[in-house]
Structure formats: C-alpha cells, structure tokens
Amino acid sequence: MSTELRAELFKQRSIRTGTGLFGAMLGVVLLAVLLHGFGLAAKNIDSASGQMTILMPGEIIGTLFAALLGALSITGEIRHGTIRPTFLVTPSRVHVVAAKVWASMLIGAGFGLSAGAVAAGVGTAALRVRGIGVRLDAGDYALAIVGVAVAAALWAAIGVGLGAVIRDQAPTLIGICAWLLFVENLLLGDLTNATIGRFLPGAAAAAISGQKPDTRVLAPEFALVLLILYAATAAVAGCLAISRLDVD
Amino acid sequence: MIEVTGLSKSYGATVAVDDLSFTVPPGQVTGFLGPNGAGKTTTLRLLLGLAEPTAGEALVFGQRYRDLDQPAHRVGAVLESNDFHPGRSGRDHLRALAIAARLPISRVDDLLDLVGLGASAGQRVKTYSLGMRQRLGLAGALLGNPELLILDEPANGLDPAGVYWLRTVLRGFAEEGRAVLVSSHMLAELAQAVDRVLVIDEGRLVAAATLDELTEGGRTLEAVYLDLTAGKVS
C-alpha cells in the first residue's frame, strides 16, 4: 500500500465525517426499504423484478453516500486549508488525487456492501412478514449486495473527480444529490427518451446492482464497463484540474 | 538554500510579484517584510510549488520544490495558521503528515512536547486557540527535522512567552547551520531574531541587506521599513 493511500485512509479514520455519513446512510436505507417493503401493493412485488425494487434503495442511497464521501475527501481539504500541508508533503498532486480515489473506492465499497446487505436483509424480512413468497435467487442477492458495492466504489471515484474539478464543497454535494436523485430519474423516465438515460452513470449503477435488463437499463456487464469509464474519466479530470490549480 | 531569480506572478492584469530575485543562505534567519498585499505570501507559495510563476524560477536546494524527493525531510513550511481539519485532533493531524512523509510516528509526540502541546494533543483542533494552532503548525513544519524553515507570520496569536519561545527556536535553528525565511509584521520582535532582511513592496524587492547594514547609525528596523515602503500601513 502506498504511503499516500495509507495517509488518506488515516485522514478518513481520524475524523467523524465518514462515520456520520455511514450511520446516516444506514438509517435512510432502513427507512426507505421499510417504506417500500410494507407500502407497495402485494401484486406489485410478487415477481423477482418487483421484489428487486424493494432492495433498490440500497443501491441509490449506497452510491449517493459513497459519492458524497469521495467528494468530501477533496473538497473538505480545500475548504479547511489542509490541502496546503498535503501538497507540501506530497507535491505530486496526481499521487494525492489518485490516493484519494483509491481510498474513497475502498471505503465506498464498504458503504455499498453495507447498504446492499441491509436492504437485502430488511427487504426479505418485510416480504416474509407480509407472507409474500420470496422470488429472488442467489444471483439476485449477489447483484443486490456485491453489485451495489462495486457501483458505490465507482461512484466514490466519480465523487473525488467531481470534487477536484468543482472544488467548492456545497455546489459539489448539492450537484451529486440533484443528479442522482432527480436529474437521472427525469432522463430515465417518461420525460425524455430512455435510450439516452440508460447510458448515464446513475442508471449504470442501477443496472449492475440487479435491475433486470429491459428497455430502461443496460445489461449489468455492459453497465459495469460504462461506469468504470465514467469513474476513470472523472478521476483523470480531477487530476488535471488539481494539477493546474494555484492553491491560495 | 533558496534562490529566486526573476520571479513574477500575475493574476490577469494584477501583478502580484514582479521580477523578484533574492537568495536565502544557510545559518541565518532571513526576515521577509512588506506591507499587506506586497506579494510576500504569493512569493512563498511560488517557492513552495503551491502556485506556478508567470515568469522566472524559485529554487530550493537547487531544484523546484515540486521536484524535491521527500520535501518534508528538507523543508518545513507554514503558510496559514488555520490549515487543520477542525474535527481532527492535533496528534492525528501530525500523524497524517508523518505517514505521508514517511516519517516515524514516534516523532509526533516528541514534536508535540517540544511545542508545548503534549497535554492537549488528543483534543480536536477546533478547541485550540490561535496560539496553539500556530504551535501545531510549527510542529508540522519541524516534523521532518528539515534544513530549511519557511514561515508566514508565525508569531500571530502567540503570547509574549510564545514569541520568546519562537525566537529561541528560530535562532537555535539557524545556529545549527540551517536556514529560516520568516515573514512578519512584528518588526520590533523580528529585529531581535533575524540576521538579514528582505523588503518587498508592490511585488518588487526594495531592500536586501543584513540587519546591521539596515539599522546602521542607530535607526530602528521599523523606521527603515517605513522609509522603504513610503509609510504604508502593514
């Protein structure tokens, strides 16, 4: 493990931001899955694809919080001025951003794994409590848990890249929330042609987390490649932006 | 140890640093003076690779700062008194730097004791006073036992005992053959600590001489400074 990566992981561990985000994420996932599990009509969740919708808050909230964590790792340093000592110790800014990407991906994967597991466990329990037969198989659960972990890790990298490009903390965080919670839903929904929306990064995360391939999302393997490309592009853009930055 | 040649930095039409050239030799404390907005902090940022010059070069140990291998082992620097995450403890701030700089973690507690923060090392930085933050910043700069210290207004917020302590540290540092470049507005205090003085105004060097040369004839550093900068308020 590189020294820069060790330093980044230590930085994340030594403040309460990550723990706070993690706790908030679990709480929101729990609430959303319970609302879906007990609120949706039984006829809408008696198939495997219907039951996957109960688990989807794990993907949406897991990727969102992982992206926020990634963005905070760089915008927090800029906001608090710790970017100065960071660059004084490690003048190679590409190494600093790369370490933030890897550290955020590792922690983001943990976020996604936890969100996916909580959603799967609570969602399944809700189905059983309501007496609805569970139609999900091992493959579905694997996608709902491991797929979310992978999607969250890649979105954490996107968060770092966006944070490095935008730099200002509030617009970055608001932009990520708005994009994942509203903008993509509009593009993926009825307002525009879904053939465009399914190629967007939020839809790709949904696809690799178990939504059944249909007209609205891509096949998981294709979505995975696409999301890796998005993450790599964001990380490279972040490296370029930070490399050219005059630090005040 | 520092060699600045023809250094310039412009932000659009505003010239912050204008064709600046100076050196900082080993074994001396060099004071860096100038009115607010004269370009002192910009010069230090250019020197430390935090900003790119428009023209000229700033070399540390014959290289650009960014090209130094393990820079924290050779150069210690503090540019702001508040470069800390408020939710991180003083000890963890230094630990993060030590890990990134590949320095032994045991150095952290030694430095915290040296700067008088041993008892409050576990507290979060948001509970620290300005003087404690200055001491923590200095501890970070000294972490790698560097040969060169670059400090921007290190005495701000220090009480009289802290100022005396800082002067002792800087003098001791120079007497070991190492170099210090320190900017400050506390002229009377600076006069007790420096060997040489650089004065800049509107981005240009207006004086570079030893303290003895500048204060020849019994003039105070303050009087000389006010003459050189046409009495601009610092």
Side-chain angles (χ1 to χ4, degrees):
Chain A
M1 191 188 300
S2 77
T3 47
E4 291 88 359
L5 178 56
R6 281 180 56 220
E8 285 305 322
L9 289 171
F10 181 80
K11 283 180 194 172
Q12 295 279 357
R13 215 168 60 232
S14 60
I15 54 176
R16 297 177 185 175
T17 307
T19 316
L21 274 178
F22 185 71
M25 178 196 74
L26 291 184
V28 175
V29 168
L30 187 63
L31 179 66
V33 173
L34 285 174
L35 287 173
H36 279 72
F38 288 103
L40 292 173
K43 64 181 170 56
N44 293 334
I45 51 174
D46 61 357
S47 66
S49 62
Q51 290 178 359
M52 282 302 283
T53 62
I54 298 176
L55 276 48
M56 285 322 291
E59 178 269 317
I60 295 170
I61 306 301
T63 52
L64 172 64
F65 276 73
L68 295 179
L69 179 97
L72 281 167
S73 75
I74 182 85
T75 59
E77 287 234 42
I78 293 169
R79 180 183 170 201
H80 295 298
T82 51
I83 199 76
R84 278 184 284 268
T86 294
F87 286 158
L88 291 178
V89 170
T90 311
S92 168
R93 299 181 183 188
V94 170
H95 284 177
V96 171
V97 176
K100 286 185 183 300
V101 167
W102 286 115
S104 297
M105 286 182 74
L106 280 172
I107 301 168
F111 272 43
L113 204 61
S114 305
V118 167
V122 175
T124 304
L127 290 171
R128 292 215 165 107
V129 167
R130 293 179 68 185
I132 300 168
V134 177
R135 310 286 181 217
L136 301 173
D137 59 23
D140 294 322
Y141 281 113
L143 281 174
I145 297 173
V146 180
V148 175
V150 173
L154 293 169
W155 258 99
I158 292 172
V160 175
L162 289 174
V165 171
I166 300 171
R167 298 197 295 274
D168 216 338
Q169 192 167 78
T172 307
L173 301 186
I174 292 168
I176 289 170
C177 290
W179 181 267
L180 276 174
L181 297 177
F182 304 112
V183 178
E184 280 217 24
N185 283 335
L186 292 176
L187 295 174
L188 198 59
D190 296 330
L191 293 180
T192 61
N193 190 339
T195 55
I196 297 170
R198 64 189 181 146
F199 290 101
L200 296 173
I208 64 176
S209 305
Q211 278 198 3
K212 297 293 181 191
D214 58 21
T215 56
R216 290 181 42 166
V217 294
L218 300 168
E221 55 276 14
F222 186 69
L224 175 62
V225 173
L226 190 62
L227 196 55
I228 290 171
L229 287 175
Y230 274 118
T233 303
V236 170
C239 285
L240 290 173
I242 288 292
S243 296
R244 293 171 182 169
L245 174 69
D246 275 357
V247 179
D248 290 333
Chain B
M1 286 189 168
I2 293 176
E3 194 171 346
V4 171
T5 312
L7 193 67
S8 297
K9 178 68 177 178
S10 300
Y11 296 96
T14 306
V15 180
V17 177
D18 190 4
D19 196 24
L20 198 60
S21 298
F22 64 85
T23 58
V24 172
Q28 295 190 350
V29 178
T30 301
F32 195 35
L33 310 181
N36 286 337
K40 299 187 299 295
T41 301
T42 302
T43 304
L44 298 183
R45 287 169 48 226
L46 293 168
L47 193 54
L48 293 166
L50 294 176
E52 278 296 309
T54 309
E57 61 179 8
L59 303 180
V60 181
F61 301 110
Q63 291 178 280
R64 293 191 324 152
Y65 185 89
R66 285 193 190 194
D67 297 330
L68 288 174
D69 184 35
Q70 303 285 332
H73 294 236
R74 304 193 73 186
V75 183
V78 186
L79 289 189
E80 292 281 337
S81 58
N82 209 23
D83 287 346
F84 313 104
H85 191 293
R88 189 174 283 131
S89 73
R91 178 181 284 119
D92 282 346
H93 170 77
L94 294 184
R95 281 180 175 169
L97 294 181
I99 292 169
R102 299 177 194 180
L103 291 163
I105 297 295
S106 59
R107 280 282 292 165
V108 168
D109 283 330
D110 294 344
L111 261 301
L112 286 165
D113 288 337
L114 178 74
V115 301
L117 288 176
S120 46
Q123 293 175 17
R124 285 191 272 172
V125 173
K126 68 179 174 186
T127 67
Y128 284 17
S129 67
L130 177 57
M132 291 166 81
R133 290 173 195 221
Q134 289 282 25
R135 288 167 182 266
L136 182 60
L138 195 59
L142 293 169
L143 203 57
N145 195 22
E147 299 158 64
L148 169 65
L149 269 183
I150 298 173
L151 307 173
D152 194 10
E153 300 288 350
N156 277 1
L158 291 181
D159 58 19
V163 172
Y164 174 78
W165 168 82
L166 176 66
R167 189 168 67 225
T168 309
V169 168
L170 299 187
R171 289 302 326 160
F173 199 81
E175 282 160 15
E176 290 171 7
R178 299 187 269 188
V180 180
L181 176 63
V182 55
S183 85
S184 179
H185 285 154
M186 300 170 72
L187 299 181
E189 187 52 47
L190 201 67
Q192 296 183 59
V194 300
D195 303 291
R196 293 178 70 247
V197 176
L198 305 169
V199 184
I200 67 168
D201 190 18
E202 296 180 349
R204 289 171 173 264
L205 190 70
V206 294
T210 66
L211 182 66
D212 291 341
E213 288 167 350
L214 279 180
T215 57
E216 209 169 33
R219 300 188 73 203
T220 64
L221 178 59
E222 186 177 58
V224 173
Y225 170 84
L226 290 173
D227 276 353
L228 287 167
T229 59
K232 287 175 187 161
V233 178
S234 295

